[in-house]
Amino acid sequence: MSEQLPDRAGVPSQRAIPAATVARLPGYLRVLGEFANGQQSRISSSQLAIAAGVNPAKLRKDLSHLGSYGVRGVGYTVEHLMDQISRALGLNRDWPVVVVGVGHLGRALVGYDGFAARGFRIAALVDANPTIVGQHVSGLPVHDMTQLPALVSADGVKIGIIATPAVAAQEVCDQLVSAGVTSILNFAPRVLTAASGIEVRKVDVAMELQILSFHEHRRDTEHRRDPVGVLATGGPISDGHAGFDVRAEVGS
Amino acid sequence: MSEQLPDRAGVPSQRAIPAATVARLPGYLRVLGEFANGQQSRISSSQLAIAAGVNPAKLRKDLSHLGSYGVRGVGYTVEHLMDQISRALGLNRDWPVVVVGVGHLGRALVGYDGFAARGFRIAALVDANPTIVGQHVSGLPVHDMTQLPALVSADGVKIGIIATPAVAAQEVCDQLVSAGVTSILNFAPRVLTAASGIEVRKVDVAMELQILSFHEHRRDTEHRRDPVGVLATGGPISDGHAGFDVRAEVGS
DNA sequence: GTTTGTGAACAGTTTCACAGCT
DNA sequence: AGCTGTGAAACTGTTCACAAAC
């Protein structure tokens, strides 16, 4: 941030992008894609920020971490910005992905178009259930778990998705890691333990609903105690999208 | 935190639970449930913290915001703690939920057991597609969008789930809000705009994958430039689960 | 002895406000 | 004029370390 490594070549330093920034870049990228479709070739920080649901200053600081330079007095070039963000995220290549667990959720994931749109290609489907193995889902065959190491190494798969029941998740995680996967997206409601170099992220619907429940509950009890205004209760949860106007932009 | 409101009755203040804490409470609750199943009635902060994948100090601070008191030298009572967390999250009641969009994803959600387990009851399924309307999914009829206001008010639904294609999401969001829903979980890859009192959370698979892609990309480029160690690149992304041992506990 | 609860130090993130460039 | 990039301030969140309680 303040530490500006000189960086070997004249390449703008992409060292040390803050975690919070990385988590927002995909959102910017999607919104930029919409502007590009709308034939717009230049965009200002406030235009993009409002569309992405963030504060303009935050957006500019985020972009500054990429070494991405807009033009003062003018704004950013939509295409150039998309290119820079894609590069920072490593999206200018194809990422083969293996999906373990081909139940309802796994099928929903396989059928999701947003996958291919960003360069994620489903390289293989794997399941432990013998009645599912051998089926074809969206044109892809479902393999047995024993095939996992071969499938992963054949395609150089580094990203795995766990869409199994909770009880199987840790075992699947271990097998993915020993097959060579180093990034995991876990949909099972279970804490996963993995070696320290492995990046594990989770999507947990029940947890999200419980957070919403908290808000509804708070709303109730506050109305009861304080019918006029809102007591100090701390801002939005977790991702911390700050609403900054009457209509708050939320989500990505 | 430092401000200790005296609070009207002798009730421990549950004012101002930090957003980051609220986001972790569901995880604690699940892990506690596992210990309860295992017949364990008392638990220490470090035991629970390790199982939940967080730092023990963080866990204790989180619990202290609930006014939840353990016993020094002993630990916490599993059942009492579950009760306190449930209460803080508003889970000691039933929450009817409406699901809009009954495609692959919607069906996966409807079939997900974790729902009912925490008191979330699917009150209604709604879809805009005439070929889906009238079908039964997991025993529940799919209603037409025009029925939304009636369904929501009949059951006092406050929580809505959007599982539609991206193009429909904002329109659905508006309709949910005008029907009386005040908390929304959005699965569509689209920024939603809603009135400031409405709580919107999102689940975005493509975004999660892109964050994993960033990590894989960074791993690649670092190995290339710095084969020995790891350069300063900032910690884990977003939720900030700090690994604090050789095996990092991740997820919830 | 053990373990909690918490002030204080630290780290990360957001926002402000303005200098600097077009 | 307009808009970006960025120090500095403000805020939020995490971790340490220890006094207090059992």
Side-chain angles (χ1 to χ4, degrees), chain A residues 78-100:
Chain A
V78 171
E79 202 176 346
H80 180 226
L81 204 46
M82 290 182 71
D83 221 66
Q84 288 216 339
I85 295 175
S86 294
R87 194 155 340 181
L89 290 171
L91 297 176
N92 44 359
R93 55 158 285 188
D94 229 58
W95 290 105
V97 172
V98 58
V99 176
V100 183

Side-chain angles (χ1 to χ4, degrees), chain A residues 159-176:
Chain A
I159 299 178
I161 298 181
I162 299 178
T164 66
V167 285
Q170 182 63 58
E171 168 68 15
V172 168
C173 174
D174 293 343
Q175 291 190 38
L176 282 169

